[in-house]
Amino acid sequence: MLSPSPAHDSQEMFRDLQRRAREAGVALRPPPPEPTTCCGRGCNGCVWEGFYAAATFWQEDALAALAEAQAIR
């Protein structure tokens, strides 16, 4: 059995945090889209590196918004 890819893990994380935000009544900006231009050659500065950096920033931002909403309650 193949393990989930990092991209799959990112999409799961996006869905989970978006669900939690909906339940808490918190509006989040859309998560970053997956790249469509990767050539698969392992380039230095690959578009996937940028995606994962953006996904991490989005996650941190979403978690901060959820924590702020919970602190207000």
Side-chain angles (χ1 to χ4, degrees):
M1 182 170 131
L2 294 174
S3 62
S5 70
H8 178 266
D9 293 344
S10 295
Q11 293 303 319
E12 286 290 320
M13 178 264 296
F14 294 154
R15 283 190 291 275
D16 177 58
L17 287 173
Q18 288 172 320
R19 178 191 53 77
R20 290 171 52 191
R22 275 191 309 277
E23 290 171 357
V26 174
L28 299 177
R29 62 185 170 83
E34 287 188 11
T36 59
T37 58
C38 180
C39 66
R41 290 184 271 184
C43 302
N44 187 22
C46 177
V47 294
W48 284 101
E49 292 174 19
F51 169 75
Y52 292 127
T56 298
F57 180 78
W58 185 92
Q59 179 184 34
E60 292 168 354
D61 192 44
L63 289 171
L66 288 167
E68 182 179 334
Q70 189 168 23
I72 292 173
R73 291 181 182 185

